Amino acid sequence: MQVDLGNVLDTASAHGVSRETLERLDGRVADAHDRIEQGREDNEHGYEALNLPSTTDPDAIREAVSRFDDPDAVITVGIGGSALGAATLTDALDSDVDAYYLDNVDPEAVDSLLDSLDLSQTVVNVVSRSGTTAETLANFLVVREAMADAGVDWADRTFVTTGEEGNLRDLAEKHDLPLLPVPDGVPGRFSVLSTVGLAAAAICGHDIEAILDGAAAQEARLSDSLFDSPAYAYGAVSFALAERGMLQNAMMPYAESLETFSEWFAQLWAESLGKDGLGQTPLRALGATDQHSQLQLYRAGPRDKLVTLVRATERDDVDIPETDLDGLAYLGGSSLGELLDAEFEATEASLVAADRPNVRIELERVDEYSLGELLYAMEAACVLYGELANVDTFVQPAVEWGKRAARGLLGGGDFEEADAVADKERLVVE
Ligand SMILES: O=P(O)(O)OC[C@H]1O[C@H](O)[C@H](O)[C@@H](O)[C@@H]1O
């Protein structure tokens, strides 16, 4: 995996950063690296996530899921960090086992998924770090009932991934369900390389050891200079650009298989860095499709965006058939992959020509190893950015506020946040 910062330099784009600025920033990167290393050594909350390549036990994950013999499908019931990491992996990689995610409580969507599956051939993985998230527990109760209605022994087809305590652990213990532990010091959005992200991938037959190996390769590259570490290069440059007003970060992979990665990245970046009036708003885009919808804004709208383009340098390709239509002759003999690459490079150039900084991230291939590299590098980039911005990367109090308000409204306790809902101002126009 490599990160190319060429198009963020002020020599490429007048609104970029100078080499001198990056060199000055590198002193702060060294200090931040020391802090991160200390946090990792002491297994501090959050920093512990960067140790997962060596602390996750892939054999234990395989062992836990091995009891489910040859399923057709796996449903992960979870939300946020308890779904997006696993979804990033299973959406990126091919498998004979279909992976689904119940990460919303939209009744129509839940109903339609459950109706479409043979539940006797489906494994259910209920994932909640806290074990208390209302959406996840509600969805699980619905799934459990659907299984019972279909005459399926739900306890036989379900396993639970959760923390030390909480309703979900109680439920797992009551029914003697197989249980994978969520490591204590790892927030959900940093948990893809743990039991949380890897169990669904293991059920789908993916090489979870290779995912961890890729992550370990990026872990080994963390160093006291942004010029020696792809992860820190990305984190430091994103921070430097945010300081210069690039307060949005459009994550734009040129691979459909990485579309969910942008969703995962959005949670990582938003929940970790959006604090104290600071942060960089993640945008989700897909190349080449969104060139034809959003690029106009990225190139000519407010000068407040970093665009991150991601591609794999090797992939399977499809030839474009020759045609005798004059205007289309240039396409014949070429391939869809060549067209995609041309679009990628044209987009970079078009952004630079309009003085819009952008970063190129290249993976060798969309496979287990490269995904491990990418996910670890983005996590480390985020932790570094958090250190440079001096925010508390590993908490999410703003989200907790809304969770308490919703719980109060549903009668799940006395939460003062729920009162604010009743106080809503109205100015209705009909
Ligand atoms: O894993 P859980 O405890 O169910 O949490 C799931 C998600 O819920 C919350 O809203 C947090 O803000 C997220 O960071 C978390 O990933």
Side-chain angles (χ1 to χ4, degrees), residues 79-82 127-133 136 188-189 267 271 396 399-400 403:
I79 199 166
S82 288
V127 192
S128 174
R129 186 182 184 287
S130 62
T132 58
T133 302
T136 299
R189 57 189 174 279
Q267 185 197 4
E271 270 196 343
Q396 57 285 330
V399 181
E400 307 296 349
K403 278 174 117 167

Side-chain angles (χ1 to χ4, degrees), residues 141-179:
L141 295 176
V142 171
V143 172
R144 187 168 81 160
E145 188 168 82
M147 289 182 119
D149 289 350
V152 177
D153 179 355
W154 67 270
D156 210 40
R157 315 254 352 129
T158 301
F159 73 104
V160 161
T161 307
T162 194
E164 285 299 313
E165 51 191 38
N167 304 333
L168 193 52
R169 179 167 275 263
D170 297 344
L171 186 136
E173 282 169 0
K174 182 170 169 208
H175 294 279
D176 205 18
L177 303 177
L179 196 145

Side-chain angles (χ1 to χ4, degrees), residues 90-406:
T90 60
D91 288 354
L93 301 165
D94 287 336
S95 168
D96 291 337
V97 182
D98 295 324
Y100 300 96
Y101 292 86
L102 281 183
D103 65 348
N104 200 350
V105 281
D106 176 338
E108 290 177 344
V110 173
D111 211 30
S112 129
L113 176 67
L114 294 176
D115 268 0
S116 70
L117 295 177
D118 175 355
L119 295 174
S120 69
Q121 298 305 314
T122 300
V123 175
V124 177
N125 179 19
V126 197
V127 192
S128 174
R129 186 182 184 287
S130 62
T132 58
T133 302
E135 293 91 334
T136 299
L137 292 165
N139 271 337
F140 174 55
L141 295 176
V142 171
V143 172
R144 187 168 81 160
E145 188 168 82
M147 289 182 119
D149 289 350
V152 177
D153 179 355
W154 67 270
D156 210 40
R157 315 254 352 129
T158 301
F159 73 104
V160 161
T161 307
T162 194
E164 285 299 313
E165 51 191 38
N167 304 333
L168 193 52
R169 179 167 275 263
D170 297 344
L171 186 136
E173 282 169 0
K174 182 170 169 208
H175 294 279
D176 205 18
L177 303 177
L179 196 145
L180 279 171
V182 177
D184 211 22
V186 177
R189 57 189 174 279
F190 288 90
S191 66
V192 58
L193 299 167
S194 75
T195 49
V196 175
L198 298 178
I203 292 178
C204 290
H206 301 310
D207 185 349
I208 58 175
E209 285 80 359
I211 296 171
L212 291 169
D213 286 349
Q218 285 303 310
E219 179 187 19
R221 299 294 308 280
L222 298 184
S223 82
D224 58 6
S225 171
L226 73 95
F227 298 105
D228 292 329
S229 163
Y232 284 170
Y234 185 69
V237 152
S238 301
F239 168 75
L241 289 170
E243 293 261 282
R244 282 160 183 70
M246 310 299 158
L247 294 175
Q248 308 202 24
N249 185 343
M251 181 53 73
M252 192 167 186
Y254 275 63
E256 299 242 345
S257 56
L258 294 178
E259 199 169 1
T260 312
F261 159 71
S262 300
E263 285 186 46
W264 172 86
F265 175 82
Q267 185 197 4
L268 179 75
W269 222 242
E271 270 196 343
S272 303
L273 304 174
K275 277 150 206 171
D276 310 332
L278 300 172
Q280 189 179 48
T281 305
L283 307 174
R284 299 172 227 173
L286 179 69
T289 311
D290 285 322
Q291 279 174 222
H292 303 276
S293 66
Q294 298 176 35
L295 190 62
Q296 172 65 34
L297 175 77
Y298 295 176
R299 191 169 190 261
R303 209 180 282 283
D304 61 356
K305 286 172 200 62
L306 156 66
V307 182
T308 305
L309 299 100
V310 184
R311 73 171 168 189
T313 49
E314 285 174 30
R315 61 168 104 74
D316 298 338
D317 210 345
V318 174
D319 290 336
I320 303 174
E322 301 282 355
T323 168
D324 52 9
L325 276 172
D326 268 359
L328 294 182
Y330 74 98
L331 290 174
S334 177
S335 72
L336 294 184
E338 282 167 352
L339 180 55
L340 194 62
D341 281 339
E343 305 245 29
F344 180 99
E345 284 158 32
T347 300
E348 284 180 326
S350 82
L351 289 166
V352 162
D355 285 334
R356 313 286 163 144
N358 56 85
V359 173
R360 178 195 285 198
I361 298 179
E362 285 181 319
L363 311 178
E364 213 165 279
R365 229 177 205 286
V366 179
D367 61 9
E368 284 93 336
Y369 185 88
S370 291
L371 284 166
E373 286 190 293
L374 178 67
L375 296 168
Y376 187 90
M378 292 298 108
E379 289 183 8
C382 182
V383 176
L384 179 80
Y385 185 134
E387 297 298 329
L388 295 173
N390 201 19
V391 294
D392 193 348
T393 307
F394 304 113
V395 296
Q396 57 285 330
V399 181
E400 307 296 349
W401 195 101
K403 278 174 117 167
R404 284 193 297 274

Side-chain angles (χ1 to χ4, degrees), residues 134-135 400-424:
E135 293 91 334
E400 307 296 349
W401 195 101
K403 278 174 117 167
R404 284 193 297 274
R407 234 176 122 184
L409 283 183
L410 288 167
D414 196 13
F415 295 100
E416 65 178 281
E417 289 85 352
D419 300 340
V421 180
D423 295 342
K424 181 194 173 303

